[in-house]
Amino acid sequence: MDEVPAARPLPLEGVRVLDVSQVMAGPVCAMLLGDLGADVIKIEPPGTGDQTRSAMGFKLKGSDSLGFLNMNRNKRSVALNLKSEAGRRAFYALADGADILVENYRPGVTRKLGIDYETLAARNPQLVYASISGFGQSGPWAERPGFDLMAQAMSGVMSVTGHPGMPPVKAGVPVADIGCALFATYAILSAYIGRQRTGMGQFIDASLFDAALAFSIWDVCEYWGTGVVPGPVGTSNKMSAPYQAVRSKDGWFVMGATNQRLWTRLCEAIGRPELLADPRFADNPARLRNREALIAALEETFVTRNSEEWVGELLAMGLPAGAMHTYPEAFDSEHGRHRGMRMEIDHPIEGRVPNIGFPVKLTGTPQQVRRHPPLLGEHTREVLAEAGLDAAALAALEEAGAFSPDAA
């Protein structure tokens, strides 16, 4: 009988991460590291914990929101009052043995608490320390509170979102938060890999503002190339036409003909060969200039049949097309189920709870749910004991207010 190969360890197994963050960008970044095998220790204020625990307008069985449960799997929770001297002593014991730290305090707060990069790196030079903020650690806006809404507005993302002439619209998903989480993760892993050669950690400055700006490639290139300030164009884009949502008999669907070959094929597929001879639609630049007339002409045909029929027919002709799904329809679709984009995980209070699945798939070392999203302070003593603090030391820390929300 052939030997079954031993399972490969997860890529970040043995890496210790301190997650000193709340809400979204920092917690998602740390969760991605945990999904890859890192031992993520979530440091939370006693009593309240991560403010996302009490977010959202509905409750489950316990006190933690479903949003919190979807951003904090594969972590252990340690409740420490970092405003107290005893809490900082306990924190230093953890930071001295950590590989990575993720925090999202407003710039300057970590220095006041005594947990800034300079303080911790003097104790642990190998530490990779990532600071996530709204506008970065320096600059005229650095001290401002940083939230996804402000980053979308001030980066220009909202200026190109929605339809012309309509009130401002933010992107329906938190692009600045999630984008910053992804960029911070790539920077952390790069710094950690670099540490293997140099033995030295480093400081990472990640911001929601920078992350949102990084998504502006097509829009800002249009401005740099033409001097025209980009504005909202609904579901279309600035590179090709037709490429947007179009109206059908029973609603909407999306389609695209992004080059001349596909444009010709589209006109053939919908039985409109006369559009090929129309000078307004002769090539892509002409179609972009006359986008409104183009879509009006196409919708004369699209409104004669239902969306599902058109999507099927266009796909059969090799043209990109897709249905307009709600989130339930997307997660519950045959493809969404196949890709495992909804999974259920065990939780000590909630039972089985839904979680968004892993957004990328590693074939050799697939991500795993190794730990449920932690209860507040669930692992405080366990983790501190691993850091070398015995029962007497833990009792002394407790007496000194390390685990109390009221101590200072």
Side-chain angles (χ1 to χ4, degrees):
M1 179 182 294
D2 292 338
E3 253 185 63
V4 177
R8 290 157 60 180
L10 289 171
L12 298 184
E13 185 175 309
V15 176
R16 173 65 65 90
V17 177
L18 296 185
D19 175 11
V20 198
S21 67
Q22 299 193 47
V23 189
M24 180 166 280
V28 168
C29 170
M31 183 182 72
L32 294 175
L33 299 173
D35 288 348
L36 293 170
D39 179 17
V40 180
I41 309 302
K42 186 174 182 67
I43 309 296
E44 302 185 73
T48 56
D50 182 335
Q51 60 186 276
T52 310
R53 287 184 181 272
S54 58
M56 309 188 76
F58 63 92
K59 289 293 183 184
L60 303 175
K61 297 176 185 176
S63 58
D64 293 337
S65 74
L66 193 52
F68 176 87
L69 300 181
N70 266 267
M71 294 185 284
N72 290 281
R73 63 178 175 247
N74 286 329
K75 301 180 184 181
R76 294 189 282 174
S77 172
V78 170
L80 286 180
N81 184 345
L82 297 179
K83 296 179 180 178
S84 72
E85 192 274 333
R88 286 190 293 274
R89 286 205 315 271
F91 180 81
Y92 292 149
L94 298 177
D96 288 350
D99 298 292
I100 296 163
L101 183 147
V102 180
E103 63 88 9
N104 66 349
Y105 285 103
R106 197 184 303 189
V109 173
T110 56
R111 187 176 299 278
K112 292 177 183 176
L113 291 174
I115 61 169
D116 54 294
Y117 174 69
E118 289 75 14
T119 298
L120 299 185
R123 306 170 60 99
N124 177 6
Q126 292 192 326
L127 184 65
V128 173
Y129 188 113
S131 286
I132 293 174
S133 62
F135 298 96
Q137 300 299 307
S138 62
W141 298 344
E143 298 297 324
R144 295 189 180 195
F147 296 93
D148 181 85
L149 179 65
M150 287 70 198
Q152 286 198 35
M154 298 178 71
S155 66
V157 168
M158 286 177 64
S159 75
V160 297
T161 305
H163 291 271
M166 299 298 290
V169 177
K170 73 177 183 68
V173 294
V175 293
D177 268 324
I178 298 299
C180 189
L182 297 176
F183 289 136
T185 302
Y186 118 86
I188 287 167
L189 294 177
S190 298
Y192 181 75
I193 292 169
R195 194 189 82 172
Q196 311 313 305
R197 295 193 301 274
T198 66
M200 297 297 294
Q202 61 179 292
F203 180 79
I204 295 166
D205 178 1
S207 84
L208 275 62
F209 177 75
D210 295 1
L213 275 174
F215 289 126
S216 71
I217 294 173
W218 293 127
D219 296 299
V220 77
C221 286
E222 178 187 35
Y223 171 66
W224 288 338
T226 68
V228 176
V229 177
V233 291
T235 62
S236 65
N237 78 358
K238 298 175 173 68
M239 300 304 299
S240 57
Y243 182 84
Q244 64 182 84
V246 290
R247 190 185 300 274
S248 68
K249 184 177 182 179
D250 64 346
W252 300 82
F253 67 98
V254 293
M255 51 75 60
T258 54
N259 57 46
Q260 202 65 16
R261 177 178 57 84
L262 291 177
W263 167 243
T264 300
R265 189 174 296 176
L266 172 65
C267 294
E268 294 170 350
I270 66 174
R272 297 287 300 278
E274 77 279 6
L275 296 179
L276 292 172
D278 192 320
R280 297 174 300 169
F281 314 138
D283 54 22
N284 190 58
R287 292 192 291 276
L288 283 168
R289 287 193 302 271
N290 298 285
R291 183 190 289 116
E292 290 187 12
L294 170 67
I295 299 305
L298 292 174
E299 287 184 343
E300 289 175 7
T301 299
F302 288 143
V303 295
T304 64
R305 295 166 65 183
N306 291 339
S307 294
E308 185 177 357
E309 296 177 72
W310 281 120
V311 169
E313 183 162 330
L314 294 179
L315 289 175
M317 292 286 291
L319 287 150
M324 296 282 286
H325 283 155
T326 63
Y327 280 130
E329 289 168 339
F331 277 97
D332 294 338
S333 67
E334 183 181 16
H335 192 75
R337 292 195 303 272
H338 175 82
R339 297 295 294 175
M341 287 311 297
R342 171 184 164 137
M343 59 184 178
E344 292 193 343
I345 62 178
D346 293 316
H347 188 271
I349 292 177
E350 305 298 343
R352 300 281 286 175
V353 293
N355 252 224
I356 297 172
F358 303 117
V360 293
K361 279 68 175 171
L362 279 70
T363 57
T365 55
Q367 301 98 315
Q368 303 168 17
V369 177
R370 298 169 292 109
R371 296 183 179 276
H372 62 260
L375 305 177
L376 176 59
E378 180 179 355
H379 307 95
T380 300
R381 283 162 174 75
E382 171 189 306
V383 171
L384 291 174
E386 291 173 3
L389 301 176
D390 59 19
L394 291 173
L397 287 172
E398 184 169 22
E399 177 69 21
F403 313 129
S404 168
D406 302 319

